[in-house]
Amino acid sequence: MARPPGRDQTAPMERLVRLIGALTKHRSGAPLGVLLTVVAPEDATDEARRKMLQRDLEHLNALGYDIRNIAEPGADGVYLMRARDNRLQVHLTPEQRGELLRAAIAAGLEGMSAHLGTGEGTDRGAAAAPVPASADLDLVQRGTTRHCLVRFTYKGEPRVVHPARVHSGPSGWYLSGREDGSDVVKEFVVSRMSDIALDQPGSAQVVGEPVRPSLDPLSWEVDPPVDVVLEVPVEHRVLAENLLGPPARAAESGGLLSLTYVVTNRRVFRYRVYELGTRVRVVGPPDVRAEILAELRSFVRAAS
């Protein structure tokens, strides 16, 4: 049988699947060496492997996955994949994401840009793409990775900040950090910072990322929390967690996974389970199973 025209994408797709599997297996972060063996054959050079891994990770993040290097500065990479619903990234155009981002900002949810990604700007004011790197951005990034106190002028006032991270948003690049003497994590637009200077490496305190409101309705507290147990074949774990997030508890037996989720929005949870179809079985509790069966029967009646 003749091959269809165009480049055969089977090998790159298989490589991405192996990469996702390795990231999923290492719940606390996959070491760099493990991922390098996944993405390239043993006879490939170390430089070629690293370039291939970086390209694949960037591709997965562009598809809506959340993969981050959580290693300490100067150490070999440790990559953690955080399960989340990436359908906003996949199904919405950059213009549509921009419109949704503006609505989130109007509602007071300025931090939602991390969930929507950043697309190319449009003439209607969609979320702007990050501006090209500048000397100031490089300096701020270096201070963040080396845990330096960052000193700068912002809105006419001198600031001293313990940096947390540098990220993109609707106004370009931002520095998130805590001002010295304060417990509040703030965001500063890098292009509006001036007279930037760094203290010695290690002079800043480590600042955890602030917890941000989630766009995923599955996490909303609509109903009283209830533990729901699902049974999923091992090969479908990545798909289940992409839709439902990481479980509170997991156990494996005979090729099947028992996943326990704390559900606070039953309606959305049921719809996610329907998307999984026969790949998943709801084990309990009985009242949740009864809700699902009753709703499915109503669908059948409506269609008949």
Side-chain angles (χ1 to χ4, degrees):
M1 180 178 178
R3 289 185 178 180
R7 183 179 177 183
D8 185 4
Q9 297 294 325
T10 302
M13 291 176 65
E14 290 178 348
R15 189 174 67 244
L16 291 178
V17 171
R18 292 196 303 270
L19 185 57
I20 292 173
L23 289 164
T24 302
K25 180 179 179 181
H26 293 79
R27 311 296 295 172
S28 300
L32 175 63
V34 171
L35 298 186
L36 289 177
T37 61
V38 169
V39 301
E42 293 183 359
D43 57 354
T45 65
D46 184 65
E47 182 180 1
R49 286 181 174 182
R50 290 174 181 270
K51 287 183 178 179
M52 188 175 293
L53 175 62
Q54 184 63 33
R55 186 167 60 247
D56 286 347
L57 292 176
E58 290 175 355
H59 183 62
L60 289 173
N61 278 326
L63 290 175
Y65 290 86
D66 187 1
I67 304 170
R68 305 184 188 185
N69 183 1
I70 60 172
E72 294 294 328
D76 283 342
V78 177
Y79 295 88
L80 178 66
M81 182 172 72
R82 303 179 182 180
R84 70 179 184 184
D85 187 348
N86 65 348
R87 287 173 296 179
L88 289 176
Q89 296 268 116
V90 174
H91 294 301
L92 298 185
T93 66
E95 292 80 7
Q96 290 169 334
R97 293 202 301 270
E99 295 291 342
L100 185 55
L101 179 58
R102 279 212 308 275
I105 293 174
L109 304 176
E110 292 85 353
M112 290 301 108
S113 59
H115 299 274
L116 292 170
T118 55
E120 297 180 359
T122 68
D123 56 2
R124 295 177 300 164
V131 298
S134 65
D136 285 345
L137 178 59
D138 291 342
L139 192 61
V140 171
Q141 181 69 61
R142 185 161 67 250
T144 302
T145 56
R146 297 181 181 180
H147 301 291
C148 305
L149 276 174
V150 183
R151 301 177 183 270
F152 56 93
T153 301
Y154 197 80
K155 295 184 178 179
E157 296 183 11
R159 314 282 181 133
V160 180
V161 171
H162 299 265
R165 67 183 184 119
V166 175
H167 61 96
S168 60
S171 296
W173 290 99
Y174 290 73
L175 168 67
S176 291
R178 179 174 54 79
E179 287 195 75
D180 196 36
S182 171
D183 294 328
V184 179
V185 175
K186 299 180 179 179
E187 293 187 338
F188 304 90
V189 180
V190 175
S191 62
R192 300 173 188 170
M193 298 162 57
S194 59
D195 305 320
I196 303 172
L198 305 180
D199 284 9
Q200 293 297 318
S203 57
Q205 299 173 1
V206 177
V207 180
E209 291 188 20
V211 178
R212 302 185 182 279
S214 175
L215 277 180
D216 187 357
L218 186 63
S219 66
W220 298 350
E221 297 182 4
V222 177
D223 305 304
V226 58
D227 286 355
V228 179
V229 181
L230 303 179
E231 192 175 77
V232 182
V234 172
E235 61 267 26
H236 297 316
R237 178 169 190 163
V238 173
L239 180 59
E241 293 195 10
N242 279 344
L243 285 172
L244 301 172
R249 294 182 296 278
E252 180 180 347
S253 177
L256 291 176
L257 289 168
S258 176
L259 306 179
T260 300
Y261 285 93
V262 180
V263 177
T264 56
N265 191 337
R266 293 195 181 194
R267 181 178 182 181
V268 172
F269 181 80
R270 293 196 304 271
Y271 289 171
R272 300 284 174 86
V273 168
Y274 299 158
E275 287 192 51
L276 289 168
T278 57
R279 303 180 187 92
V280 64
R281 186 172 75 89
V282 180
V283 178
D287 59 328
V288 174
R289 281 178 53 87
E291 284 181 3
I292 292 175
L293 290 172
E295 189 167 52
L296 291 175
R297 290 190 183 107
S298 71
F299 294 158
V300 174
R301 289 194 299 269
S304 61

